[in-house]
């Protein structure tokens, strides 16, 4: 099952549709990878039980033909996004023990699309940093070069994708916090146009600059993930009310 962590979102999606393997097998492979790659400190909270339950639900939906666009795809979430019932700290002791009672719009979209949440990812505290060294939960290591910084603030997101402990991840970018760690860790990162993706439920750094985007293995995967999180949201007054193109096409 370790080979399943070498597949892209597009490849995993196709294999799941063909029933070459199950969502439970995919998520189990990533859980095993998380457990054997903790030296990079990409995750500050692992949620294997939740991910497995979500994967089992995905297998049922594949069986009855009601699967979503990201059904059974295991993702990591930067610890800056509010996740209902799952601890969110922005990697600061100021928020120790904070468990949101609501879901951010983007994570809600991912869950609605059938994604499984592997856990919350390390980052510079409150997104204020560019090296991955400023987290209350310890520094993040660069899987491509453990003696060098992974970049930040989305350090854990980049490290998780680079170490194949998440098939893809969500990051946020204010002044380079998706693009820079993606470059440092050798993956794809995209900061979308402001307003394309709702910021509701994101712990703000600079609201006029913050933007949420995908961190993935390939450009194709970035398009797939961006498609899932884009769109107008009444809960975000800066969300653009305009059509969402077919990014994957």
């Amino acid at each position: 099952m370790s080979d399943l962590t070498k597949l892209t979102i597009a490849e995993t999606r196709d294999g799941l549709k063909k029933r070459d393997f199950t969502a439970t097998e995919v998520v189990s492979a990533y859980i095993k990878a998380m457990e054997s790659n903790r030296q990079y400190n990409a995750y500050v909270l692992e949620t294997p039980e939740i991910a497995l339950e979500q994967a089992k639900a995905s297998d049922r939906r594949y069986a009855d033909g009601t699967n979503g666009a990201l059904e059974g795809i295991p993702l990591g979430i930067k610890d800056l996004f509010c996740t209902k019932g799952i601890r969110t700290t922005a990697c600061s002791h100021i928020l120790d023990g904070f468990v949101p009672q609501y879901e951010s719009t983007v994570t809600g979209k991912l869950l609605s699309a059938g994604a499984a949440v592997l856990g919350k990812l390390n980052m510079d505290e409150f997104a204020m940093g560019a090296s991955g060294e400023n987290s209350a939960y310890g520094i993040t290591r660069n899987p491509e070069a453990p003696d060098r910084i992974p970049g930040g603030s989305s350090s854990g997101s980049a490290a998780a994708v680079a170490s194949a402990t998440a098939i893809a991840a969500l990051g946020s970018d204010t002044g380079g916090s998706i693009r820079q760690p993606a470059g440092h860790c050798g993956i794809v990162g995209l900061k979308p146009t402001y307003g394309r993706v709702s910021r509701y439920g994101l712990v703000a750094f600079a609201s006029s600059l913050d933007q949420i985007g995908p961190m993935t293995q390939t450009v194709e995967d970035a398009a797939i993930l961006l498609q899932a999180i884009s769109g107008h949201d009444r809960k975000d007054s800066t969300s653009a009310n305009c059509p969402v193109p077919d990014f994957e096409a």
Side-chain angles (χ1 to χ4, degrees):
M1 291 202 305
S2 60
D3 287 343
L4 294 177
T5 65
K6 297 178 181 179
L7 302 178
T8 65
I9 291 177
E11 292 166 341
T12 302
R13 180 187 61 185
D14 292 345
L16 287 167
K17 287 179 179 178
K18 294 175 183 176
R19 309 305 285 156
D20 292 339
F21 40 77
T22 67
T24 301
E25 289 172 332
V26 173
V27 169
S28 295
Y30 276 95
I31 291 171
K32 184 177 180 181
M34 283 196 304
E35 292 171 346
S36 59
N37 287 281
R38 289 181 176 139
Q39 69 271 26
Y40 303 120
N41 200 29
Y43 285 85
V44 295
L45 179 67
E46 297 176 7
T47 55
E49 297 89 355
I50 292 173
L52 282 171
E53 285 303 312
Q54 291 167 335
K56 291 174 184 176
S58 290
D59 285 329
R60 291 192 293 270
R61 287 190 286 269
Y62 273 114
D64 63 24
T66 60
N67 50 287
L70 291 175
E71 202 70 64
I73 300 298
L75 303 174
I77 307 297
K78 185 177 181 178
D79 196 33
L80 201 63
F81 297 89
C82 288
T83 42
K84 186 176 181 178
I86 300 175
R87 191 187 74 199
T88 300
T89 69
C91 286
S92 172
H93 287 315
I94 293 172
L95 293 178
D96 274 348
F98 173 56
V99 179
Q101 298 302 303
Y102 66 99
E103 196 76 43
S104 72
T105 294
V106 285
T107 53
K109 282 177 174 280
L110 295 178
L111 292 173
S112 295
V117 177
L118 293 167
K120 305 300 286 288
L121 296 165
N122 209 350
M123 53 177 283
D124 290 299
E125 185 174 1
F126 285 110
M128 296 182 183
S131 66
E133 299 172 295
N134 304 296
S135 166
Y137 297 98
I139 66 174
T140 309
R141 300 288 179 184
N142 187 334
E144 296 297 299
D147 60 329
R148 300 183 182 185
I149 62 169
S153 65
S154 303
S155 56
S157 299
V161 177
S163 63
T165 55
I167 197 168
L170 277 188
S172 65
D173 192 314
T174 303
S177 290
I178 287 175
R179 295 160 290 169
Q180 185 243 40
H184 280 32
C185 293
I187 66 166
V188 175
L190 173 69
K191 180 184 182 181
T193 300
Y194 189 81
R196 171 62 74 190
V197 180
S198 171
R199 293 182 296 104
Y200 178 78
L202 176 74
V203 179
F205 177 5
S207 293
S208 61
L209 296 171
D210 296 342
Q211 192 50 267
I212 296 163
M215 302 183 74
T216 60
Q217 302 172 56
T218 66
V219 173
E220 181 181 26
D221 280 4
I224 293 169
L225 196 53
L226 180 62
Q227 190 80 46
I229 62 175
S230 294
H232 181 244
D233 180 17
R234 294 183 186 177
K235 295 177 181 177
D236 177 3
S237 63
T238 65
S239 173
N241 190 2
C242 60
V244 177
D246 186 339
F247 293 118
E248 187 176 0

